[in-house]
Amino acid sequence: MTEAALPIRVVALYKFTPLRDLDAIRDALDRRCHAEDIKGTLLLADEGINGTIAGADDAIEQVLGDIRGLPGCADLEIKDSRAKAPPFLRMKVRIKREIVTMGKADVDPLRGTGHYVAPEDWNALIDDPDTIVIDTRNDYEVAVGTFAGAINPCTRSFRDFPSWFEAHREMLEGEGGRRPKIAMFCTGGIRCEKSTAFLKSEGLDEVYHLKGGILAYLETIPSDQSRWQGDCFVFDERVTVGHGLQPGDYVLCRACRMPVGPEERASPFYVSGISCPACHADRTDAQRERYAERERQVRLAEARGEAHVGAAIADRDPD
């Protein structure tokens, strides 16, 4: 599909920088986003800003101009993609303790992270037999797609990553004084800022991470040279993207908020808006009745040309 057929600009961004007066920043960004009809989520904390927003090109530029005017954000890097329809139904600007939640207050990416690796150099690093490749995302994200040979820590939340590290420290530290290279990756790069900073604080130095994350890799590396397998889960209504950041072939189960691929949708346990193979056994008849009514209201809203908040992806941040 050409860019002309994908009129919505989707921008993922983050920046670790000390921010103060968060209430004033939140209110100003909220006003700007609503004035420009921008949808998405922006997270603010003392440590910086993180989020994904979508809208018309000129409107996005207005919001990015405001963000780049924040302390330390002049060199803000973004990751662009396109969508044929708005991938968010509302705008949220929130203040949190962390812009990506690891739960380790002493981990500060501004004091040092792993070595950045450009997408063009990533294949050579992960093809090295002395490299341990770790997917820092959560289990449901890894199930949709990952790099060949990557370790899945099987975490339910990014908060679980430090515990996983402690349980596997011996493997990561290597044997006989020879430490392996550790290559880490995540969706857009932000989780690796913290995970690599955490490993360095634990005394590991040969730590690397994919600059710009999976999104930068899928945008940059041709599919015939790619080590990526599957799709990449994204936290919006596109659900997944593939090479070239084209929308993937997954939908969201409205009962459990998990991605559902073509094979799962062929299951008798998949009913749009009500259940999927992952959650069918865990839901009661009363719950399924509520989901069915919500789905009916969503369809009625669509017929009226309106957005129904019940159709929106859950308020789930990438942590």
Side-chain angles (χ1 to χ4, degrees), residues 114-134 148 180-185 206-211 217 227:
H115 307 286
Y116 292 103
V117 180
E120 297 84 355
D121 300 322
W122 183 250
N123 286 355
L125 174 64
I126 66 174
D127 287 348
D128 185 338
D130 291 330
T131 299
I132 295 175
V133 186
I134 303 173
K181 297 175 184 176
I182 300 173
M184 308 173 80
F185 64 92
E206 287 292 305
V207 182
Y208 302 80
H209 57 120
L210 177 58
K211 185 174 178 59
Y217 183 91
R227 304 297 189 271

Side-chain angles (χ1 to χ4, degrees), residues 278-315:
C279 70
H280 182 271
D282 299 328
R283 298 299 189 267
T284 66
D285 289 340
Q287 286 175 312
R288 280 191 278 270
E289 288 177 7
R290 290 202 305 273
Y291 301 152
E293 175 59 24
R294 178 186 60 195
E295 186 71 4
R296 190 178 74 86
Q297 294 299 325
V298 168
R299 299 299 167 231
L300 289 173
E302 288 178 349
R304 296 192 298 267
E306 301 172 356
H308 189 280
V309 295
I313 197 167
D315 292 343

Side-chain angles (χ1 to χ4, degrees), residues 139-140 143 156 251-261 263-265 267-271 274-283 288:
D139 199 34
Y140 64 90
R156 293 176 58 87
V251 300
L252 198 72
C253 175
R254 302 296 167 177
C256 65
R257 304 294 179 177
M258 292 292 108
V260 185
E263 184 175 340
E264 289 82 7
R265 294 200 297 277
S267 166
F269 296 130
Y270 175 73
V271 182
I274 299 173
S275 67
C276 74
C279 70
H280 182 271
D282 299 328
R283 298 299 189 267
R288 280 191 278 270

Side-chain angles (χ1 to χ4, degrees), residues 112-178:
T113 65
H115 307 286
Y116 292 103
V117 180
E120 297 84 355
D121 300 322
W122 183 250
N123 286 355
L125 174 64
I126 66 174
D127 287 348
D128 185 338
D130 291 330
T131 299
I132 295 175
V133 186
I134 303 173
D135 193 329
T136 66
R137 300 171 304 151
N138 298 326
D139 199 34
Y140 64 90
E141 299 170 79
V142 180
V144 173
T146 191
F147 282 105
I151 293 173
N152 176 11
C154 299
T155 55
R156 293 176 58 87
S157 165
F158 191 47
R159 286 177 176 271
D160 300 334
F161 185 80
S163 297
W164 178 86
F165 166 77
E166 290 298 339
H168 298 82
R169 178 189 287 268
E170 185 174 335
M171 172 191 68
L172 299 178
E173 289 182 339
E175 299 178 353
R178 182 179 179 181

Side-chain angles (χ1 to χ4, degrees), residues 14-68:
Y14 73 86
K15 182 69 176 182
F16 284 97
T17 182
L19 294 179
R20 300 294 179 264
D21 201 2
L22 296 178
D23 289 332
I25 295 174
R26 176 195 58 199
D27 293 346
L29 287 176
D30 187 70
R31 285 193 300 269
R32 172 67 83 177
C33 289
H34 280 90
E36 300 292 344
D37 196 26
I38 295 296
K39 302 294 193 298
T41 299
L42 291 173
L43 304 178
L44 300 168
D46 292 339
E47 65 181 7
I49 185 169
N50 175 31
T52 306
I53 54 176
D57 290 77
D58 291 345
I60 288 288
E61 281 302 320
Q62 293 294 321
V63 177
L64 291 178
D66 288 357
I67 294 174
R68 289 190 171 110

